[in-house]
Amino acid sequence: MAKQMTEDKVRKQACKILGFQDSDDVQADVGQLTTFNQLGFPGVNKKPDGWYLPNDLANVAIVLETKASNISLGSKQIAELRNYVKIVGKKYKKVVGILYNGEAVLVFKNQKRVDDAANRLQPLNYYINLFTVQTIDKEHIYDLTAKINHRLHFEFRIKNLYHRMIFTACALVAKRYGALMVEGMDYSMFHNAILNRLKTKLSSDIQRNIKLNTLIDVFTDIKMNLGVTSKKEKSKQQVTRLITEFIGWVKEISDCLDSAAWRGEDVMGIFFNEFNRYKSKADAGQVFTPEHITDFMYKILEVNENDRVLDACCGSGGFLVKAMSNMIQKAGVGTEEATKIKSEQLYGIESDREIYALACANMLIHNDGKTNLEWMDARTEDAGEWIASKNITKVLMNPPYENKYECMEIVENILNHVSKNTLCGFILPDKKLEKAKIKQIESILKKHRLIMIIKLPENLFFKIGITTSIFVFKSGVQQDDNNIFTCYIKTDGLETVKNKGRHDVYQKWLNIEKYWVNSIKERHDKTYKTAKWIKPPELPIKSKKQITGHLSYQMPKKTFRIFKEDFKKTAMDYLMYQKGINTKEFNDKLLATVMYSSNIQMSKGNVNISIKTGDNNGRD
C-alpha cells in the first residue's frame, strides 16, 4: 500500500512534475500563502495551490488545486477548482485547471472537463498543448512564407538565400521562447528583441548555448538595408509597418507549429521551397529532402519511440524533426518520455556553418534545445568516434551527392561506427554504389549487408536532375551471397505547383505510402510488379568490367518485337545495295519527290499521293 502524502508534499511533487518556475515572462509557483489579489486579480483573497500566469494574456494560464492523497477528488473539490478557473478566466481566454491528490488527476480546459487527458500528472507543455490548433492549413503556411520571402528579399534587401532563412528562423525561435514582439517596433527594437532572447532565455543549458553561439554569430552577420529600395527612401512609418506585418506572419506560423496537428514538417524545407524562387547562382546547391520522403523512410526502417536516431549530414534537420515528431506522437505530447526523446535520442552532424545554424534553429523552433547536433565533417575519424559513443539504433540520411563531398566515404564511415545490426537508410543516386571504387565496394560488402534498394520517383529531385534510391543496410553483417530486395515507386502522386514546388494536390500520397510500406515490409509488389530480388557482386571483384551481380534497381528491358515492315526494309536495302544504289541519297530524293513534286488529295479519310513518272506526257 502506498504511503499517504500530506497536501504540502503533494503540492511540492506537483511543482516538480509540472516544472513551474518564475521568469521574466511568467509568474509561476506553488504555495498556500499567496492570494489571487497578490497575483493581479484585485479583490480576490482566495489562495490557489499553484499558478502559471504568463505576462502575455493571449497565452495559456494554469491554476492548480491539490489535496492530500487520502482525499478523493469529488464534486466539492471540482467546484472549488472550477471557481479558480473562472477567476483566472477574467484575464485569460485560455485557462487549464488541474486537480491533483498525488495519484489521481482531473483536468479542465476552461470550464470543460478534459476526459482524454493523461491519467497521471504531466509536465507543463502537455497542458499548454490542450489549447493548440487542431487543424493546419498548409496552403496558408506557404502563403505566409511567400510573403516573408518577398519582404526579406525586396524590402529588407537580404539577397542571400540562407540569410533570409536564418533571419526568419531566428525570429521564430525568439517568438517561441517568449521574445516580446509587438506592433510599432522599429527595426532596432525588433532586432534586439530577437538577439536578446537568443542570448538570455536559453542560457542555462550548455549544449543549447553552443548552438546559440553559432546562431547568434550567423544572425549578426546578416546585413540588410531597410531605409531604401531601388526606387526611393522609406519613411520611419513605412519601416515600422513592414516590421509589424512581418511580426504578424511569424506569429501565425508559430501558432501552426504549436498545433497538435503539426507532424514535424521540416520548416526549413518549406522555407527553402519558397525562398528558392529568388535563388542566385552564388547560393550553395543544398538539396532538402521532401517531407513525405523523410516520413516514408522513418516508417520503412520501423523507427519507434525508443530508438536513437542519427542523421550525419542533417542539413536543415528534416529527418530529425520528422523522427522527433513521430516518436513524440507515440510517447505522448508533453510527457516525460517526450522530453527524453528530445534530449537523448536525436543526433545530427552538419559540416556547413550556415546550414548547421539552420538545423539548430529548426530544432529549437520545434521546442527542442538539447538535440545533439555537431558541427563537423562526417567523413572524419572524430565524427566516427562521436557516432560510436552515442549507441545509435537507426540511421536516416540524404548525404550530398557531389563527388567533392566524397559521399561514399561518409556512408562507409557511418556504417563502420554504428553498432552491429543497426538499420541504416541512405538516399543516394541510383548507380552511386556501382560507380564507387572497387576497394570501397568490397570494404562495405565484407562488413555490412545491403538488404533493400527502393528506387524513388524519377521526378522527386527534378530541379537537380538526379534520380535516386533508398539503400538500406544492416551494419556489421557481411553481405556474402544474400540477395537484395528491390522495388520501384514510379510515382508519389505529387504535382508541381507554380512557384511552390511539388505538392500532394490530389491527396494521393497517403494511399501510395500505405501500399509501399506494407509491400516493403512483406517484400513483395503485387500491384505494380516491380519487386525483384537481385544478386550482389561476387567478391573479390577483379575489375568493373568483370563485376557480377548488381547494386542498383534493374529497370526491365523492353521486349524485342519485329514486324513485317522490318523484313521489307531489310530486303529493300539489300536489293538497292546489289544495284549499287546509295540508300541515303535515294531516301532523300524520294522524300523530296513525295513532298514537293506530287499531287496530294484527301478523300473520305484517305490520303492519295500521285507521283509524276517524269515522261514527256507528264503522266502520273
Side-chain angles (χ1 to χ4, degrees):
M1 183 176 179
K3 186 177 180 181
Q4 288 189 357
M5 297 173 63
T6 64
E7 184 175 342
D8 188 50
K9 286 185 177 180
V10 171
R11 192 182 306 111
K12 289 179 180 179
Q13 177 174 287
C15 183
K16 183 178 179 181
I17 295 172
L18 287 164
F20 280 179
Q21 188 173 0
D22 244 345
S23 70
D24 294 338
D25 305 311
V26 178
Q27 291 184 84
D29 205 350
V30 296
Q32 269 192 319
L33 301 176
T34 306
T35 65
F36 276 113
N37 183 66
Q38 292 170 302
L39 293 171
F41 299 87
V44 182
N45 293 317
K46 294 183 179 296
K47 301 172 183 177
D49 285 312
W51 54 90
Y52 176 87
L53 304 171
N55 293 347
D56 187 342
L57 300 183
N59 289 339
V60 177
I62 298 174
V63 60
L64 171 71
E65 179 64 14
T66 59
K67 301 296 176 184
S69 60
N70 63 336
I71 296 178
S72 60
L73 305 181
S75 57
K76 180 180 178 181
Q77 289 75 26
I78 290 173
E80 185 178 16
L81 176 66
R82 277 183 162 161
N83 186 34
Y84 289 172
V85 170
K86 185 177 180 181
I87 292 168
V88 176
K90 291 179 180 179
K91 290 177 67 173
Y92 295 87
K93 292 182 179 180
K94 303 172 184 177
V95 184
V96 172
I98 301 172
L99 186 59
Y100 181 58
N101 67 357
E103 296 174 0
V105 60
L106 300 180
V107 180
F108 291 82
K109 181 179 173 182
N110 289 331
Q111 291 294 320
K112 186 177 180 181
R113 171 86 176 270
V114 182
D115 293 327
D116 60 346
N119 57 11
R120 60 189 176 92
L121 195 65
Q122 298 289 341
L124 174 68
N125 283 337
Y126 176 88
Y127 300 104
I128 291 176
N129 286 335
L130 294 177
F131 275 97
T132 56
V133 181
Q134 297 303 310
T135 58
I136 289 176
D137 183 352
K138 286 191 179 180
E139 279 299 310
H140 185 51
I141 295 290
Y142 275 94
D143 289 340
L144 290 171
T145 305
K147 291 178 181 178
I148 287 172
N149 188 25
H150 190 277
R151 178 61 46 87
L152 293 178
H153 189 263
F154 293 106
E155 304 288 354
F156 288 15
R157 314 290 287 173
I158 304 176
K159 300 299 182 182
N160 182 285
L161 168 69
Y162 294 124
H163 286 183
R164 295 200 299 275
M165 293 174 70
I166 290 166
F167 187 88
T168 307
C170 287
L172 273 169
V173 170
K175 169 65 179 69
R176 288 175 67 72
Y177 285 92
L180 188 62
M181 297 181 185
V182 296
E183 293 184 9
M185 295 180 101
D186 60 22
Y187 175 70
S188 178
M189 293 170 63
F190 178 54
H191 184 275
N192 288 337
I194 296 173
L195 200 57
N196 290 339
R197 183 53 52 185
L198 293 177
K199 286 181 177 179
T200 61
K201 178 63 178 177
L202 309 176
S203 60
S204 61
D205 189 281
I206 297 174
Q207 178 66 27
R208 198 178 284 175
N209 273 342
I210 295 171
K211 298 177 191 179
L212 284 174
N213 286 336
T214 306
L215 256 185
I216 290 165
D217 290 344
V218 175
F219 179 73
T220 306
D221 288 344
I222 298 172
K223 306 298 179 186
M224 66 178 66
N225 188 349
L226 268 173
V228 298
T229 66
S230 57
K231 295 181 179 179
K232 62 181 180 179
E233 185 174 347
K234 292 188 183 75
S235 67
K236 289 184 178 180
Q237 290 80 7
Q238 286 176 310
V239 171
T240 300
R241 177 182 59 79
L242 294 175
I243 292 171
T244 297
E245 288 178 349
F246 183 88
I247 290 171
W249 299 332
V250 167
K251 284 184 175 180
E252 286 191 65
I253 292 178
S254 182
D255 288 343
C256 286
L257 296 175
D258 277 329
S259 168
W262 190 262
R263 291 293 181 266
E265 289 82 353
D266 180 6
V267 173
M268 295 303 120
I270 292 175
F271 289 168
F272 183 81
N273 280 339
E274 169 56 34
F275 290 6
N276 196 45
R277 288 173 58 193
Y278 305 111
K279 184 178 178 181
S280 70
K281 291 182 179 179
D283 290 316
Q286 182 78 8
V287 178
F288 287 76
T289 312
E291 182 269 330
H292 69 296
I293 298 300
T294 61
D295 199 26
F296 178 66
M297 283 184 67
Y298 176 96
K299 290 172 182 174
I300 63 172
L301 264 68
E302 299 183 24
V303 183
N304 61 55
E305 67 273 25
N306 299 314
D307 277 314
R308 296 166 70 86
V309 178
L310 169 71
D311 181 353
C313 297
C314 67
S316 70
F319 274 116
L320 297 177
V321 169
K322 176 54 66 177
M324 178 175 70
S325 175
N326 286 342
M327 292 162 77
I328 288 174
Q329 288 299 320
K330 288 184 178 180
V333 177
T335 61
E336 293 177 9
E337 290 82 0
T339 301
K340 183 181 177 184
I341 288 167
K342 293 180 179 182
S343 62
E344 299 178 16
Q345 294 176 228
L346 303 163
Y347 297 87
I349 294 174
E350 177 54 47
S351 60
D352 184 281
R353 176 173 174 265
E354 290 187 341
I355 304 300
Y356 171 76
L358 282 174
C360 295
N362 204 8
M363 300 306 292
L364 289 168
I365 284 169
H366 288 83
N367 281 339
D368 166 54
K370 294 185 179 180
T371 297
N372 295 276
L373 298 179
E374 293 293 331
W375 179 20
M376 62 170 68
D377 188 337
R379 298 169 295 181
T380 63
E381 185 60 31
D382 285 345
E385 291 176 0
W386 183 83
I387 291 169
S389 70
K390 304 305 177 186
N391 191 27
I392 301 300
T393 60
K394 296 286 169 61
V395 175
L396 303 169
M397 284 184 60
N398 183 9
Y401 306 147
E402 295 88 340
N403 290 331
K404 65 180 179 178
Y405 294 112
E406 300 176 9
C407 170
M408 291 310 299
E409 284 193 17
I410 295 172
V411 170
E412 188 173 8
N413 197 33
I414 290 158
L415 289 171
N416 287 345
H417 286 94
V418 293
S419 302
K420 185 177 180 179
N421 291 317
T422 299
L423 286 182
C424 305
F426 303 93
I427 298 179
L428 300 170
D430 289 334
K431 306 293 183 180
K432 194 68 177 180
L433 291 185
E434 292 180 339
K435 291 181 179 179
K437 298 173 183 177
I438 289 177
K439 287 184 178 180
Q440 203 162 47
I441 295 173
E442 289 184 329
S443 176
I444 291 175
L445 297 184
K446 283 179 180 179
K447 300 176 185 176
H448 314 288
R449 182 176 298 170
L450 179 58
I451 59 176
M452 283 192 293
I453 302 173
I454 302 154
K455 181 171 170 57
L456 296 171
E458 296 203 338
N459 59 351
L460 188 67
F461 296 108
F462 68 98
K463 287 188 177 180
I464 60 173
I466 293 177
T467 60
T468 57
S469 299
I470 300 171
F471 296 81
V472 181
F473 287 88
K474 182 178 285 188
S475 65
V477 182
Q478 194 169 350
Q479 186 73 42
D480 295 329
D481 59 352
N482 288 282
N483 289 343
I484 303 162
F485 173 78
T486 72
C487 60
Y488 177 21
I489 303 175
K490 292 183 179 180
T491 179
D492 56 8
L494 274 64
E495 301 286 341
T496 301
V497 180
K498 186 178 180 180
N499 295 328
K500 293 184 180 180
R502 300 180 71 247
H503 293 273
D504 192 9
V505 177
Y506 302 110
Q507 304 298 309
K508 294 180 178 179
W509 172 245
L510 184 63
N511 288 331
I512 293 172
E513 180 190 51
K514 184 178 179 180
Y515 171 81
W516 282 110
V517 169
N518 291 334
S519 294
I520 290 166
K521 184 177 181 180
E522 297 173 10
R523 303 292 196 270
H524 67 68
D525 175 14
K526 294 179 180 178
T527 300
Y528 306 105
K529 313 297 184 184
T530 69
K532 300 176 181 180
W533 287 89
I534 61 173
K535 289 185 176 295
E538 292 183 10
L539 303 181
I541 300 172
K542 295 180 180 179
S543 70
K544 284 291 182 73
K545 290 183 179 180
Q546 295 178 330
I547 192 170
T548 61
H550 299 282
L551 290 171
S552 67
Y553 177 79
Q554 299 302 295
M555 296 291 283
K557 294 181 179 179
K558 292 183 179 179
T559 304
F560 179 76
R561 299 179 67 188
I562 193 165
F563 301 90
K564 288 182 180 180
E565 289 78 5
D566 297 309
F567 284 107
K568 290 180 180 179
K569 182 180 183 304
T570 303
M572 285 291 292
D573 287 347
Y574 180 66
L575 287 172
M576 285 190 283
Y577 168 74
Q578 286 184 318
K579 297 287 185 180
I581 299 172
N582 186 304
T583 306
K584 185 178 184 307
E585 289 181 2
F586 179 82
N587 288 339
D588 290 344
K589 188 174 181 180
L590 179 61
L591 178 62
T593 301
V594 171
M595 291 293 292
Y596 307 116
S597 301
S598 63
N599 182 24
I600 303 175
Q601 296 178 335
M602 292 189 66
S603 176
K604 297 180 179 181
N606 296 318
V607 179
N608 299 313
I609 301 176
S610 301
I611 303 174
K612 293 181 179 180
T613 61
D615 63 14
N616 292 332
N617 295 322
R619 292 177 301 177
D620 292 343

